[in-house]
Amino acid sequence: RFERGDAVMIVDADCVCSVNLLSTGAAALARRPRHPVVLQAAYLMEAPHGAGLASSMSVGFGLKNVIRPRGMARLGLPTQLFGSGMVLSYDALRHVTFADHLTEDLQMSQQLIAAGIYPQFLAAATVRSPAPADDAALTRQRQRWEGGQFNTWATLPGLALRLLARGRVRGLISLLDWSAPPLAMGLIAWFLFTVAILILTMVFHLVSPIALIGAAVCLLLISAYLVIGLLALGGIRALVGTALGAPRFFWWKARLYAGMATGKRSKAWERTARTAGEGS
């Protein structure tokens, strides 16, 4: 038995939790009383309707923090930790470190699967965080989060090989999902690749048009993911709103990545300014 309780819950101070978070977490812990248990609630970003970049960012938040984990859970795969709405049993705490890391939640997720502990997704419980106060704060937040994710890529080969050697296929699949580049970056890369193939095919005749089949399949899969995910998150309204805001959002993302490529990256964690009253 534990001296200080059965588990700890980590919730950011600016988040608002659903009323069932404690009861849902307690029930999940009780199902495996003799094993380390780590839980992650659905984590959403609250942005005012029509809030520009923040509104588009909140949709991306939902796709990454709700739709993908829900699908992973149905396949019996662990979820990534998102930094808030996390529940860890005391015997799981010794496997993670709380360090000054740009993306400590992703680092903790990797430490847990390396130890053979697979975080579970609590789809029925939610935590909601207010959107950053303005576009500048949102940009600084993304520089920190995405820059931190890029930094973890250096550790991926070694961790992937260790998981493969131990036969932990579920952990390996989850690691690949967690380490995938942001959707906007993937779409920008897809666009540049497709343009390059078109030029090589139509202008220089160096590549067979068959090469475009791969680009078409990728676009079809991404489109299906976006349409199904957006409809699940917010229905037609979310789908139309995202489509209307896409040009500005991708232009902002392109400038963000260009800045990061020239050295504009966060070096340490800093608190993101939030919109007053949001999330309440």
Side-chain angles (χ1 to χ4, degrees), residues 10-155:
I10 301 174
V11 179
D12 283 354
D14 59 357
C15 286
V16 175
C17 306
S18 61
V19 294
N20 66 337
L21 178 58
L22 287 174
S23 59
T24 304
L29 287 168
R31 285 194 289 269
R32 299 193 67 190
R34 299 181 182 276
H35 301 275
V37 177
V38 179
L39 310 168
Q40 173 62 62
Y43 184 22
L44 296 167
M45 177 186 289
E46 291 279 328
H49 178 61
L53 291 177
S55 182
S56 297
M57 199 68 244
S58 68
V59 171
F61 224 68
L63 288 172
K64 182 177 184 295
N65 294 358
V66 178
I67 299 302
R68 279 167 58 181
R70 187 183 295 168
M72 298 282 279
R74 289 182 178 178
L75 294 174
L77 298 170
T79 182
Q80 179 189 332
L81 299 180
F82 303 133
S84 184
M86 303 182 295
V87 180
L88 298 92
S89 61
Y90 265 89
D91 48 356
L93 287 174
R94 64 187 180 89
H95 297 285
V96 299
T97 57
F98 297 89
D100 184 14
H101 192 275
L102 293 176
T103 49
E104 70 283 352
D105 45 6
L106 180 55
Q107 184 183 52
M108 290 168 61
S109 302
Q110 293 182 357
Q111 291 172 339
L112 287 167
I113 62 169
I117 301 172
Y118 295 160
Q120 306 170 38
F121 184 55
L122 291 180
T126 61
V127 290
R128 298 177 182 271
S129 173
D134 50 40
D135 290 354
L138 184 62
T139 298
R140 290 192 295 272
Q141 183 192 70
R142 300 313 303 179
Q143 286 175 339
R144 174 167 61 86
W145 284 359
E146 296 189 17
Q149 182 186 27
F150 299 160
N151 292 341
T152 65
W153 286 349
T155 65

Side-chain angles (χ1 to χ4, degrees), residues 178-194:
W178 304 346
S179 305
L183 181 60
M185 177 180 287
L187 285 170
I188 291 172
W190 171 87
F191 175 77
L192 295 175
F193 172 79
T194 304

